[in-house]
Amino acid sequence: MSGPTTWEFLLWDNDPGPPPLPVPRRLRLLAAVRTAQALRVLRRRGWQDAQRYLRELRPLPLAAGLRPSDAVRLARREAQPCLTVLRMAEPEALCLPRSYALATYLSVLGLPAEVVVARQRSSIGGRFAFHAWAELYGEVLADIPGVQSGFTVLQRVGCAHAVRAPEAEHGPGAVSGSGAEHGPGAVPG
């Protein structure tokens, strides 16, 4: 291996196809700035206002029209720059700010990523654990790939203006971006 792609073997990407489209530096910078703003909204004003920020975000047309498999590959490639922004803005970030930052960053680029908030299916001592992760076309990003199996989804929040590929739909009962299936109060930690 040689050149700037020598590290790419570390990515969880076993698709032998061509690499996803490159993201220009100025778009990465814009996505980083909007992600930092979103994290500030989450920290200062709470989850309710943070959801509104993500839903009302105006994405760039960079990733519009990508096949879901190519979009997921691009999202996995862009996770590292986003998580770098997160570590600078929120060094002690838990699952909600981490997944929210990733969904925001990817949404700015035009990828219809969502924050998934869920409750653990089994209780420990009568208490349930909550968790959040980012998804794109049903694929978990920057978390344990099988995390979905141990949790019941309470809420999905995504950018209302992001364009989804026509063949990619959620499973039965999933409501994208509305947050209507979960009332206020349960925020994962």
Side-chain angles (χ1 to χ4, degrees), residues 119-122 146-152:
R119 177 184 58 90
Q120 193 173 19
R121 287 199 173 122
S122 60
V147 71
Q148 299 155 314
S149 65
F151 290 87
T152 300

Side-chain angles (χ1 to χ4, degrees), residues 102-127:
L102 187 54
T104 301
Y105 185 94
L106 295 174
S107 292
V108 170
L109 297 179
L111 296 169
E114 299 175 310
V115 177
V116 178
V117 179
R119 177 184 58 90
Q120 193 173 19
R121 287 199 173 122
S122 60
S123 68
I124 299 171
R127 298 179 63 139

Side-chain angles (χ1 to χ4, degrees), residues 15-101:
D15 186 351
L21 78 134
V23 177
R25 281 189 194 143
R26 65 179 182 79
L27 296 184
R28 274 192 181 137
L29 180 60
L30 178 62
V33 167
R34 293 219 179 125
T35 300
Q37 290 170 341
L39 287 167
R40 191 174 328 120
V41 168
L42 178 61
R43 182 178 56 247
R44 292 184 179 168
R45 298 197 315 233
W47 179 233
Q48 204 73 7
D49 285 347
Q51 290 176 67
R52 190 174 310 111
Y53 183 93
L54 179 56
R55 282 191 197 109
E56 295 173 359
L57 194 65
R58 295 290 177 176
L60 298 168
L62 173 74
L66 282 181
R67 293 179 320 163
S69 60
D70 292 337
V72 169
R73 290 179 66 214
L74 177 60
R76 289 196 173 118
R77 179 92 17 108
E78 290 301 311
Q80 191 58 48
C82 172
L83 296 176
T84 301
V85 170
L86 173 68
R87 288 296 169 216
M88 291 186 326
E90 298 280 336
E92 304 291 323
L94 296 175
C95 61
L96 184 63
R98 186 174 57 241
S99 57
Y100 178 67

